[in-house]
Amino acid sequence: MSRRQLKLGFILHGVGPGWGDWRHPDANPGASTDIDFYLRQAKVAEAAKFDFLFVADSVHITEKSSPHYLNRFEPLTILSALATHTTHIGLVGTLTVSYSEPYTVARQFASLDHISRGRAGWNVVTSWLSGSAENYGKPVHPPHEVRYRIAAEHLRTVQGLWDSYEDDALVHDKASGRFIDPAKLHALHHKGEFFSVRGPLNIARSPQGQPVIFQAGASEEGRNFAARHAEAIFTEGASFESAKAYYDDIKARAAGFGRDPSRLAVLPALRAIVGRTEEEAGRLYGEAVGLIRVEDALVALARAFNEHDLSQYPLDGPFPDIAAYGAQSNRSTSERIVAAARADNLTLRQAALRFASPRREFVGTGTQVADAIGRWFAGGAADGFIFFETLPRQLDAFAAEVVPVLRERGLFRREYEHATLRGNLGLDVPENRNTAARRQQAA
Amino acid sequence: MSRRQLKLGFILHGVGPGWGDWRHPDANPGASTDIDFYLRQAKVAEAAKFDFLFVADSVHITEKSSPHYLNRFEPLTILSALATHTTHIGLVGTLTVSYSEPYTVARQFASLDHISRGRAGWNVVTSWLSGSAENYGKPVHPPHEVRYRIAAEHLRTVQGLWDSYEDDALVHDKASGRFIDPAKLHALHHKGEFFSVRGPLNIARSPQGQPVIFQAGASEEGRNFAARHAEAIFTEGASFESAKAYYDDIKARAAGFGRDPSRLAVLPALRAIVGRTEEEAGRLYGEAVGLIRVEDALVALARAFNEHDLSQYPLDGPFPDIAAYGAQSNRSTSERIVAAARADNLTLRQAALRFASPRREFVGTGTQVADAIGRWFAGGAADGFIFFETLPRQLDAFAAEVVPVLRERGLFRREYEHATLRGNLGLDVPENRNTAARRQQAA
């Protein structure tokens, strides 16, 4: 009976994600470390019944990095701060497996899940900038396929730790003085290629059992990782066609791994610009693009090419032959850029500015943007979106203009169905593996 | 003009720190992962004008661990959650240098300092249980003196990262598009014995400049570390005499390192039990002691002896010869216990129960407990205390009965002097080392 529902996330990044967004006259350039700014956005997103807040991350900057990378909160701290001022919206944090310890990661997300009473999600990333290694005393950033082997083992270890306590392990029997049932507290005894963790974790199983796993795999290894392990996938959504191809591919891979593809939400990025009229939307789009400096757009582009210095090439010459640098870092994005530059015969300047600008397809009135969203959703390119605020108060505009249209069309909730992220995403609480083992032994 | 003022911290641990506290009829045995319990305590402590909340930590449990170790929040997440519900009280979190990365630690505490607008403190610990190593893929827990070499280098690296941005590095010039002044963003280029971190940190310098450094060094190496680096020291305070000796020793060491000893607060643990009458206090003390099981007291004692199994010795025989196990882990505590057992000719049972019980000196009415506090403070054994709640609502009792007496005597604030932890502890904001270097070059 229940119709397929759109899932909506909101990405918190303080200053806008575009290189020039912070330059807007109404923008707060200190937003990225302004707790009041974050609290306000969290409340607006929750009032609009978004499924979750999402905090991206990176562990390395240079003086050339984008404003929203240069100065940002560590994800778990800001999400914990927001947890006690919200009640239903999910709290998804990015944390790299390349430079973290499973025991610590398991504790952090389990704590957030307890603090939020069941709203934590972990966006598992492998940190694709080689500069990250230098902040963690590692001589070389591990190659792509090794990073995904690390990721799989790290995630398996964290998920094992989350099941350390069976749900009824804390007996709290005051009369006898038995605080726990020791038979229901399980050490993990993991010894693998990259990690060795005894366990058990020092926190009870959290309300969701397992915090929700997000991922953003785009390469061959990344797609398999996401299709195998993720419950929600954050994807770029460069065009309807590429998003649709990605969607079909991921769902097929998930089915191939024996999973129910409907339990895996594919969520492209959505940098919509919404106006009360078409004219206002067009004007806002012009403002956003006008704020981008070409030198910044070049640096933004370089992130997909392992931070290769693009200033050495003529701006108005043909797009340079730099595909090899992309293969070293963000392979899928770099390949898409190279293909687009070749197809449309773009200069370096044109390619950089296009890459840095919001997509025109999602610029318009509430109805127009809802139309575009509906096309992607009904057309099988997305299960929902992760919305980015570009210009100031675009979250408010989206909530006021787009969300009501989506509701009228029966695509989006009027009230939260649940108070947990799993519940709102239509995901079950997994049975504790140790309880399951006990049950199977008994049978 | 201003008289020396007592500093008060409150330690958050959910269920009581005693092995039997959770068994009290009024105790909430699930308190340790109950966010509402923590929020309430934080607000009571802030209303009483405590200087800070303190979250202890450990990274390893077994099924025999104490209730407040078995199930606990990760410190940075819970402190971030409390930050946005408080406005003046400090937020001090424990984090081990043995199993963490300086870049991550620097980010976490800088974020908490931004979120709380200047109230973060880091309690630097070296994790003295060898079981911890097994949760972090390390074959051996590093020996004592190596741990303190690691600690010094880790701390130096974190503090260097906190100065990555000079205070005026974020220029936010919308017209020109200059977000930062790149000359005021500094990479650290640290390459040491244990860590190698390029930097810069990806978050602006926080309101306190440097979050406040707490420590709990008790061994020879630990005392030197604390005297050199700490701004507040959490110490055991087993007796007035031992506390006074510790206090004098630490202050002398600090002076020897060229520091002003008044900028280093020595804060013993205070497990006071407060009643409205002497009779009530005595009854409550009896209740607290009556809840302790001897088997739990043995395990508690074993923590100071590297978790050596004490159940193998006769309970009512003489205190066993186990000093060598203590030397491997918590040397100072184990030495004190051995000395006390020898001096008073205690059986193992007596020693274990005494070690697990609150001290009688701080049991009484508000006036009696304030008298004892005043003796330690005026007698040069303490600059203040870190208060532990044993039985339920003892924080409320302390706030209602003891704090007003301390105020009447001019020992404790009526209002917060500042909105930062540094300000309330009488510590200055340190100048950014990179700004200082620039200033010295110019001079």
Side-chain angles (χ1 to χ4, degrees):
Chain A
M1 46 121 270
S2 76
R3 220 173 124 181
R4 182 170 160 250
Q5 289 280 298
L6 193 71
K7 303 301 169 197
L8 286 178
F10 177 68
I11 189 162
L12 293 158
H13 39 59
V15 295
W19 279 67
D21 296 342
W22 67 275
R23 298 177 62 196
H24 191 276
D26 299 337
N28 168 6
S32 295
T33 49
D34 182 342
I35 179 65
D36 293 333
F37 184 90
Y38 277 72
L39 284 169
R40 185 189 176 281
Q41 285 197 323
K43 286 175 182 176
V44 173
E46 184 165 75
K49 319 294 179 197
F50 274 63
D51 290 85
F52 59 89
L53 302 168
F54 186 97
V55 178
D57 200 31
S58 63
V59 292
H60 151 243
I61 57 166
T62 72
E63 74 281 3
K64 289 187 175 172
S65 297
S66 151
H68 74 294
Y69 281 80
L70 278 169
N71 177 32
R72 68 191 334 176
F73 287 126
E74 184 278 330
L76 270 292
T77 44
I78 182 62
L79 288 169
S80 300
L82 300 177
T84 46
H85 288 270
T86 51
T87 55
H88 286 74
I89 197 164
L91 304 160
V92 182
T94 301
L95 205 151
T96 173
V97 292
S98 299
Y99 308 108
S100 69
E101 292 280 353
Y103 196 83
T104 300
V105 173
R107 294 185 71 196
Q108 291 174 304
F109 283 99
S111 288
L112 179 61
D113 208 40
H114 278 287
I115 290 169
S116 64
R117 303 202 184 281
R119 296 182 283 131
W122 175 21
N123 180 38
V124 180
V125 298
T126 64
S127 303
W128 45 267
L129 291 178
S130 58
S132 311
E134 296 185 83
N135 285 331
Y136 287 89
K138 313 273 178 181
V140 209
H141 192 66
H144 201 82
E145 77 280 8
V146 175
R147 295 211 299 275
Y148 275 102
R149 284 224 310 283
I150 295 173
E153 189 184 327
H154 192 301
L155 174 59
R156 196 164 62 241
T157 309
V158 168
Q159 291 183 315
L161 287 167
W162 283 336
D163 282 353
S164 294
Y165 277 91
E166 293 187 54
D167 291 337
D168 55 353
L170 290 157
V171 292
H172 292 162
D173 182 353
K174 289 182 177 181
S176 71
R178 277 178 95 223
F179 189 74
I180 60 163
D181 176 352
K184 293 184 175 168
L185 173 63
H186 302 271
L188 187 65
H189 297 297
H190 172 77
K191 279 193 203 299
E193 187 182 0
F194 304 103
F195 303 102
S196 159
V197 180
R198 187 183 182 284
L201 197 66
N202 57 356
I203 184 165
R205 196 161 190 252
S206 67
Q208 293 188 111
Q210 300 264 324
V212 179
I213 300 302
F214 279 63
Q215 228 273 322
S219 66
E220 179 65 20
E221 292 93 348
R223 287 176 187 222
N224 278 336
F225 182 85
R228 206 187 276 268
H229 303 290
E231 298 172 291
I233 298 183
F234 179 17
T235 170
E236 201 162 18
S239 68
F240 175 84
E241 293 69 28
S242 71
K244 167 89 180 133
Y246 181 85
Y247 187 99
D248 290 342
D249 179 60
I250 283 286
K251 298 274 174 162
R253 288 181 200 239
F257 291 128
R259 297 183 63 195
D260 173 355
S262 76
R263 291 290 180 272
L264 170 59
V266 176
L267 308 171
L270 175 65
R271 282 173 66 186
I273 293 187
V274 183
R276 278 158 302 181
T277 63
E278 210 171 328
E279 292 65 36
E280 188 186 43
R283 181 176 56 71
L284 290 169
Y285 178 79
E287 282 180 17
V289 172
L291 295 169
I292 305 168
R293 302 190 306 178
V294 71
E295 60 263 44
D296 291 332
L298 279 186
V299 178
L301 192 67
R303 277 183 71 82
F305 294 91
N306 201 25
E307 303 195 330
H308 177 61
D309 180 9
L310 299 178
S311 68
Q312 65 192 289
Y313 303 104
L315 261 176
D316 297 306
F319 192 79
D321 182 17
I322 54 175
Y325 299 100
Q328 288 165 25
S329 57
N330 192 337
R331 198 187 297 173
S332 56
T333 303
S334 62
E335 281 174 359
R336 179 175 60 77
I337 293 166
V338 170
R342 200 167 299 156
D344 295 349
N345 206 18
L346 300 181
T347 64
L348 177 56
R349 182 198 301 272
Q350 289 167 331
L353 287 175
R354 185 193 287 187
F355 180 70
S357 300
R359 294 170 41 70
R360 280 192 170 275
E361 183 173 359
F362 295 100
V363 176
T365 63
T367 304
Q368 289 173 319
V369 172
D371 286 346
I373 287 173
R375 265 195 308 278
W376 285 49
F377 183 63
D383 294 314
F385 292 87
I386 299 187
F387 177 67
F388 285 66
E389 182 176 77
T390 48
L391 299 184
R393 301 288 163 118
Q394 276 291 308
L395 171 61
D396 302 71
F398 188 89
E401 305 291 332
V402 183
V403 169
V405 182
L406 296 172
R407 280 195 186 122
E408 277 162 33
R409 296 177 183 179
L411 295 178
F412 191 62
R413 69 170 61 86
R414 289 174 192 277
E415 294 300 333
Y416 285 107
E417 301 83 27
H418 296 271
T420 68
L421 177 58
R422 271 194 183 280
N424 287 318
L425 292 180
L427 301 167
D428 299 325
V429 172
E431 185 179 16
N432 186 308
R433 66 200 65 197
N434 295 302
T435 310
R438 178 197 303 282
R439 198 169 37 71
Q440 280 155 18
Q441 264 186 330
Chain B
M1 47 121 265
S2 77
R3 216 171 128 183
R4 181 169 160 251
Q5 290 280 297
L6 193 71
K7 302 301 167 198
L8 286 179
F10 177 68
I11 189 162
L12 294 159
H13 39 60
V15 295
W19 279 69
D21 295 343
W22 68 275
R23 298 177 62 195
H24 191 277
D26 299 337
N28 168 6
S32 295
T33 48
D34 182 341
I35 179 64
D36 293 334
F37 184 90
Y38 277 71
L39 285 169
R40 185 189 175 281
Q41 286 197 322
K43 286 175 184 177
V44 173
E46 184 165 77
K49 319 293 180 199
F50 273 63
D51 290 85
F52 58 89
L53 302 168
F54 185 96
V55 178
D57 200 32
S58 63
V59 292
H60 150 242
I61 56 166
T62 73
E63 74 281 4
K64 290 186 175 171
S65 297
S66 151
H68 74 294
Y69 281 80
L70 278 169
N71 176 31
R72 70 191 332 175
F73 286 126
E74 185 278 330
L76 270 291
T77 45
I78 182 62
L79 288 169
S80 300
L82 300 177
T84 47
H85 288 270
T86 51
T87 55
H88 288 73
I89 197 163
L91 304 160
V92 182
T94 301
L95 205 151
T96 174
V97 293
S98 299
Y99 307 109
S100 69
E101 292 280 353
Y103 196 82
T104 300
V105 172
R107 293 185 71 196
Q108 291 175 306
F109 283 98
S111 288
L112 179 61
D113 208 40
H114 278 287
I115 290 169
S116 64
R117 303 202 185 279
R119 294 183 283 131
W122 175 22
N123 180 38
V124 180
V125 298
T126 64
S127 303
W128 45 270
L129 291 178
S130 58
S132 311
E134 296 185 83
N135 285 331
Y136 288 89
K138 314 273 178 183
V140 209
H141 193 64
H144 202 81
E145 77 280 10
V146 176
R147 295 211 297 277
Y148 275 102
R149 284 225 308 285
I150 294 173
E153 188 185 326
H154 191 302
L155 174 59
R156 196 163 61 242
T157 309
V158 168
Q159 291 182 316
L161 287 168
W162 283 335
D163 282 353
S164 294
Y165 277 90
E166 293 188 53
D167 291 337
D168 55 352
L170 289 158
V171 292
H172 291 162
D173 182 354
K174 290 183 177 180
S176 71
R178 276 177 95 223
F179 188 74
I180 60 163
D181 176 351
K184 293 184 174 169
L185 173 63
H186 302 271
L188 186 66
H189 297 297
H190 171 78
K191 278 191 202 302
E193 187 182 0
F194 303 103
F195 303 103
S196 158
V197 180
R198 187 185 181 283
L201 196 66
N202 57 356
I203 183 165
R205 197 161 190 252
S206 68
Q208 294 188 112
Q210 300 263 326
V212 179
I213 300 302
F214 280 63
Q215 228 273 321
S219 65
E220 179 65 22
E221 293 94 348
R223 286 175 189 223
N224 279 336
F225 182 84
R228 206 187 275 269
H229 303 291
E231 298 172 291
I233 299 183
F234 178 17
T235 170
E236 201 162 18
S239 68
F240 174 85
E241 292 70 28
S242 70
K244 166 89 180 133
Y246 181 85
Y247 186 99
D248 291 342
D249 179 61
I250 282 286
K251 298 274 175 163
R253 289 181 199 238
F257 292 128
R259 297 183 61 195
D260 174 355
S262 75
R263 292 290 180 273
L264 171 58
V266 176
L267 308 171
L270 175 65
R271 282 172 66 185
I273 294 187
V274 183
R276 278 159 302 182
T277 63
E278 209 172 329
E279 292 64 37
E280 188 186 42
R283 182 174 56 71
L284 290 169
Y285 178 79
E287 281 180 18
V289 171
L291 294 170
I292 306 168
R293 301 189 308 176
V294 70
E295 59 263 44
D296 291 333
L298 279 186
V299 178
L301 192 67
R303 276 182 72 82
F305 294 91
N306 201 25
E307 302 194 328
H308 177 61
D309 180 9
L310 299 177
S311 69
Q312 65 192 287
Y313 303 104
L315 260 177
D316 297 305
F319 192 80
D321 182 17
I322 54 174
Y325 299 100
Q328 289 165 24
S329 58
N330 192 337
R331 198 186 295 171
S332 56
T333 304
S334 63
E335 281 174 359
R336 178 175 62 76
I337 294 165
V338 169
R342 200 167 297 155
D344 295 349
N345 205 19
L346 300 179
T347 63
L348 178 56
R349 181 196 303 271
Q350 288 166 331
L353 287 174
R354 186 194 287 187
F355 180 70
S357 299
R359 294 170 41 70
R360 279 192 171 276
E361 183 173 359
F362 295 102
V363 176
T365 62
T367 304
Q368 289 173 320
V369 172
D371 287 346
I373 287 173
R375 267 195 307 277
W376 284 49
F377 182 63
D383 295 314
F385 292 87
I386 299 187
F387 178 65
F388 285 66
E389 182 176 77
T390 48
L391 299 184
R393 300 288 163 119
Q394 275 291 308
L395 172 61
D396 302 70
F398 188 88
E401 306 291 332
V402 182
V403 169
V405 182
L406 296 173
R407 279 195 187 123
E408 278 162 31
R409 297 177 183 179
L411 296 178
F412 191 63
R413 68 169 64 84
R414 289 175 191 278
E415 293 300 333
Y416 285 105
E417 301 84 27
H418 296 271
T420 69
L421 177 57
R422 274 196 180 277
N424 288 318
L425 293 180
L427 302 167
D428 300 325
V429 172
E431 186 179 15
N432 186 306
R433 66 201 63 198
N434 295 302
T435 310
R438 178 198 303 282
R439 198 170 37 71
Q440 281 154 17
Q441 264 186 331

